[in-house]
């Protein structure tokens, strides 16, 4: 309302009152800019900008005009938040740095803005009033994926497994917003997992299985640890999904992989436990390796009461299970048969696979005995020889000796041949060593200590390293040598016809 007062020179007056309505100016809201996306996780913001023009005088407004920004929460233009206020600057720009919280779902959202609750300008948003245009503009909100391992877990300390175990690795994927049910957990994410060996190398990425039903959003992979290294293993969980920032979670030294040492399933043994020292002995031990590693069994033998040990060979089990057999034999220098047998022999197996090494118990075997032999007659039975004073005549006695324990020729060994000197007595014997072919050769040349006649002879082993084997009796015919001696005459003279 306004009033007009009039007064003339004669002091006459008049007064007129008039009422006039003055409305708020009509604004025009222009979209200026917005970010392509806003991260929901953390204190990250995106700037949204509009500009306000006075549509009545076609000029940009100055500072201080009240503006409001609205952002959709559920991916539709029908569900906006309650709004966020600010004022224009001197050039008419209205700005708002939007921090998306867990009130907003990920994906495409919308925003709108305009003048709101201003004294001079009417409430008006995009697309409303002069000029028309879009009433809202789209942008994206990104959430943050989170990986949470379920098993193996540290509920009871660091998990431990044996090599060859099938290890279940199970985890779920969520967002940073625990209040959004469909993001806790998140279904159908793209996931991989990797495992880092104790030496720092990485196993190739594995593709977990997507669980369904009540466990949708959980992912699992069963890892076969056969042949893997012993030590601390780390896990890396990787996940990605549209409208979420990916996540890679590293779980250092997450579980221990134990290479369980092989165990002997039987006591170490040797077959035979006692026999002639020249034979082959079969040493054995039963082995079970839960990890199926290649397992080696090295035989160590002592022949001097455990003062010194000698490596007698190694057997290998490709999968770590079965019986290790090592065939060993002894040298002449290994044995002391002064008592007829050698009992200070010991052995054990050194067992080692790819990660472990240990020794079996020590066993006091085998007992080594004199080697078994067979003496075979070749020549000399029923032979004939003449007794001479100078032993100038001889006959050949030949024998062959074989080692029955190793089915071979024995080392040169002592054989003694005994011959009768008369009907009741024997000579003291002739001892010689067999040759490298196992033959004993004896040229028997009797002198006058022997009496003519059919005499017996035999041979026996007299070597401390071989059994005392005796042949049967053989025959040799000893012939005396006749010597003609002129007794008379011895140079005398006799007349013809005398006796």
């Amino acid at each position: 309302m306004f009033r007009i007062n009039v007064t003339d020179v004669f002091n006459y007056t008049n007064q007129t009152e008039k009422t006039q309505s003055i409305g708020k100016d009509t604004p025009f809201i222009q979209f200026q800019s917005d970010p392509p996306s806003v991260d929901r996780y953390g204190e990250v913001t995106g700037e949204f900008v509009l500009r306000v023009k006075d549509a009545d005088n076609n000029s940009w407004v100055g500072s201080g005009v009240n503006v409001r920004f609205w952002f959709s929460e559920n991916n539709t233009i029908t569900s906006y938040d309650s709004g966020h206020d600010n004022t224009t600057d001197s050039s008419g720009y209205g700005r708002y740095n939007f921090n998306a919280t867990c009130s907003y779902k990920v994906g495409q959202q919308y925003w709108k803005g305009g003048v709101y609750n201003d004294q001079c300008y009417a409430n008006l948003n995009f697309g409303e009033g002069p000029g028309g245009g879009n009433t809202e503009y789209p942008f994206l909100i990104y959430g943050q994926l989170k990986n949470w391992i379920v098993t193996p877990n540290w509920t009871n300390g660091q998990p431990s497994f044996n090599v060859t175990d099938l290890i279940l690795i199970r985890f779920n994927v969520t967002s940073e917003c625990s209040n959004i049910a469909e993001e806790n957990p998140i279904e159908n994410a793209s996931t991989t997992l990797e495992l880092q060996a104790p030496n720092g190398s990485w196993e190739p990425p594995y593709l977990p299985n997507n669980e369904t039903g009540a466990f949708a959003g959980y992912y699992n992979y069963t890892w076969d640890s056969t042949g893997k290294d012993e030590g601390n293993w780390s896990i890396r969980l990787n996940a990605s999904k549209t409208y979420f920032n990916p996540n890679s979670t590293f779980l250092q030294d997450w579980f221990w992989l134990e290479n369980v040492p092989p165990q002997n399933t039987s006591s170490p043994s040797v077959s035979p436990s006692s026999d002639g020292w020249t034979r082959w002995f079969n040493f054995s031990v039963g082995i079970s390796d839960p990890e199926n590693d290649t397992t080696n069994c090295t035989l160590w033998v002592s022949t001097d009461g455990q003062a010194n040990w000698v490596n007698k060979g190694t057997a290998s089990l490709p999968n770590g299970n079965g019986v290790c057999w090592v065939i060993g034999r002894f040298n002449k220098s290994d044995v002391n048969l002064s008592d007829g047998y050698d009992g200070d022999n010991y052995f054990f197996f050194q067992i080692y696979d790819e990660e472990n090494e240990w020794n079996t118990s020590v066993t006091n075997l085998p007992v080594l005995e004199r080697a078994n032999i067979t003496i075979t007659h070749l020549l000399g039975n029923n032979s004939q020889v003449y007794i001479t004073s100078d032993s100038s005549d001889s006959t050949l006695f030949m024998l062959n000796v074989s080692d029955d324990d190793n089915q071979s020729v024995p080392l040169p060994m002592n054989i003694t041949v005994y011959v009768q000197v008369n009907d009741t007595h024997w000579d003291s014997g002739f001892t010689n060593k067999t040759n490298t072919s196992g033959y004993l050769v004896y040229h028997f040349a009797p002198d006058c200590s022997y009496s003519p006649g059919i005499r017996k002879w035999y041979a026996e082993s007299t070597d401390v390293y071989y059994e005392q084997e005796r042949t049967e009796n053989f025959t040799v015919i000893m012939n005396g040598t006749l010597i003609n001696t002129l007794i008379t005459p011895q140079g005398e003279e006799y007349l013809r016809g005398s006796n």
Side-chain angles (χ1 to χ4, degrees):
M1 182 181 70
F2 60 92
R3 175 182 301 163
I4 298 175
N5 294 316
V6 177
T7 303
D8 64 9
V9 295
F10 300 106
N11 204 31
Y12 289 102
T13 64
N14 191 15
Q15 186 179 72
T16 303
E17 292 182 353
K18 186 74 174 180
T19 300
Q20 177 68 44
S21 296
I22 301 176
K24 295 180 179 181
D25 281 5
T26 300
F28 168 72
I29 313 301
Q30 178 177 293
F31 167 83
Q32 200 66 32
S33 65
D34 59 14
S37 64
V38 177
D39 284 344
R40 192 174 59 185
Y41 183 62
E43 297 301 318
V44 180
T45 61
E47 185 181 56
F48 294 78
V49 183
L50 53 78
R51 196 176 189 187
V52 180
K53 176 182 284 189
D54 188 327
D56 291 333
N57 62 22
N58 196 31
S59 64
W60 300 111
V61 301
S63 61
V65 176
N66 293 331
V67 292
R68 176 169 287 190
F69 297 78
W70 291 267
F71 302 91
S72 66
E73 296 176 324
N74 295 316
N75 312 111
T76 68
I77 60 175
T78 60
S79 176
Y80 281 94
D81 60 18
S82 58
H84 309 269
D85 294 332
N86 207 348
T87 59
T88 58
D89 61 16
S90 60
S91 298
Y93 290 101
R95 307 172 189 273
Y96 185 74
N97 290 307
F98 174 60
N99 182 7
T101 66
C102 289
S103 297
Y104 302 86
K105 293 184 178 180
V106 299
Q108 182 168 286
Q109 298 287 8
Y110 301 89
W111 74 282
K112 63 182 180 179
V115 174
Y116 183 80
N117 198 26
D118 187 79
Q119 290 183 348
C120 298
Y121 293 94
N123 293 342
L124 211 63
N125 294 330
F126 292 137
E128 299 172 353
N134 293 341
T135 57
E136 57 273 323
Y137 290 87
F139 71 101
L140 298 176
I141 291 181
Y142 279 86
Q144 177 60 58
L145 295 179
K146 300 279 189 177
N147 299 323
W148 306 97
I149 193 159
V150 177
T151 184
N153 59 64
W154 281 59
T155 301
N156 298 309
Q158 185 186 32
S160 178
F161 302 93
N162 294 335
V163 174
T164 72
D165 281 351
L166 297 175
I167 301 174
L168 175 65
I169 301 173
R170 185 169 183 258
F171 62 101
N172 64 37
V173 179
T174 69
S175 74
E176 80 279 21
C177 295
S178 59
N179 61 302
I180 302 177
E182 59 264 36
E183 297 180 9
N184 289 273
I186 294 174
E187 302 179 27
N188 300 317
S190 296
T191 60
T192 63
L193 66 87
E194 302 164 86
L195 289 101
Q196 187 180 41
N199 64 6
S201 64
W202 285 93
E203 295 276 328
Y206 300 103
L207 298 177
N209 300 308
N210 287 3
E211 299 184 23
T212 59
F215 295 103
Y218 284 76
Y219 307 85
N220 71 76
Y221 183 82
T222 300
W223 183 63
D224 186 354
S225 65
T226 300
K228 306 303 182 182
D229 292 342
E230 180 180 79
N232 281 311
W233 283 76
S234 302
I235 301 174
R236 185 157 60 199
L237 306 174
N238 306 305
S240 62
K241 190 175 175 65
T242 304
Y243 303 129
F244 289 91
N245 290 314
N247 180 281
S248 183
T249 301
F250 181 63
L251 306 171
Q252 186 172 12
D253 296 340
W254 194 251
F255 65 88
W256 175 268
L257 195 59
E258 177 74 18
N259 191 311
V260 177
Q263 302 294 324
N264 51 306
T265 58
S266 64
S267 298
S269 63
V270 57
S271 177
S273 58
S274 63
D275 209 335
W277 65 274
T278 60
R279 68 162 295 143
W280 291 98
F281 289 85
N282 293 321
F283 297 84
S284 64
V285 63
I287 297 297
S288 175
D289 189 341
E291 278 72 42
N292 298 318
D293 293 331
T294 296
T295 301
N296 298 307
C297 312
T298 298
L299 174 66
W300 292 88
V301 173
S302 172
T303 58
D304 56 6
Q306 304 185 65
N308 296 284
W309 293 92
V310 176
N311 183 333
K312 288 291 187 177
T314 299
S316 183
L317 296 174
N319 65 357
N321 295 279
V323 178
C324 280
W325 295 91
V326 177
I327 300 176
R329 65 184 305 176
F330 297 87
N331 298 317
K332 188 175 181 178
S333 59
D334 293 332
V335 294
N336 179 2
L337 295 169
S338 57
D339 294 328
Y341 68 92
D342 183 353
D344 66 344
N345 305 298
Y346 298 84
F347 76 93
F348 70 87
F349 281 98
Q350 179 186 25
I351 312 297
Y352 52 98
D353 62 10
E354 297 172 7
E355 298 288 345
N356 306 283
E357 179 179 323
W358 59 281
N359 298 333
T360 66
S361 58
V362 176
T363 302
N364 183 199
L365 285 174
V367 175
L368 301 179
E369 301 172 346
R370 289 170 177 162
N372 300 307
I373 60 171
T374 296
I375 304 175
T376 303
H377 167 266
L378 297 178
L379 292 174
N381 189 29
N382 294 320
S383 60
Q384 296 191 45
V385 66
Y386 285 94
I387 299 171
T388 62
S389 61
D390 59 357
S391 300
S392 59
D393 191 31
S394 65
T395 187
L396 178 60
F397 295 166
M398 183 178 288
L399 303 169
N400 176 259
V401 183
S402 61
D403 186 333
D404 298 338
D405 285 325
N406 67 12
Q407 306 298 311
S408 66
V409 175
L411 297 174
M413 60 173 291
N414 293 329
I415 298 292
T416 302
V417 178
Y418 298 91
V419 183
Q420 279 185 318
V421 296
N422 53 45
D423 291 339
T424 58
H425 292 83
W426 297 78
D427 63 15
S428 60
F430 169 80
T431 301
N432 199 5
K433 287 187 180 295
T434 58
N435 61 25
T436 55
S437 298
Y439 293 102
L440 177 79
V441 177
Y442 177 28
H443 293 276
F444 175 59
D447 60 15
C448 292
S449 63
Y450 294 86
S451 298
I454 299 174
R455 303 302 177 204
K456 297 176 182 178
W457 68 275
Y458 71 91
E460 71 176 357
S461 59
T462 52
D463 195 294
V464 69
Y465 293 99
Y466 295 90
E467 68 172 338
Q468 304 304 298
E469 182 73 12
R470 183 189 187 282
T471 68
E472 60 180 300
N473 289 333
F474 304 106
T475 298
V476 59
I477 301 172
M478 297 187 203
N479 296 311
T481 301
L482 297 178
I483 301 175
N484 297 322
T485 302
L486 180 64
I487 297 175
T488 186
Q490 294 188 357
E492 298 94 345
E493 291 185 358
Y494 292 92
L495 294 177
R496 181 180 296 165
S498 63
N499 292 321

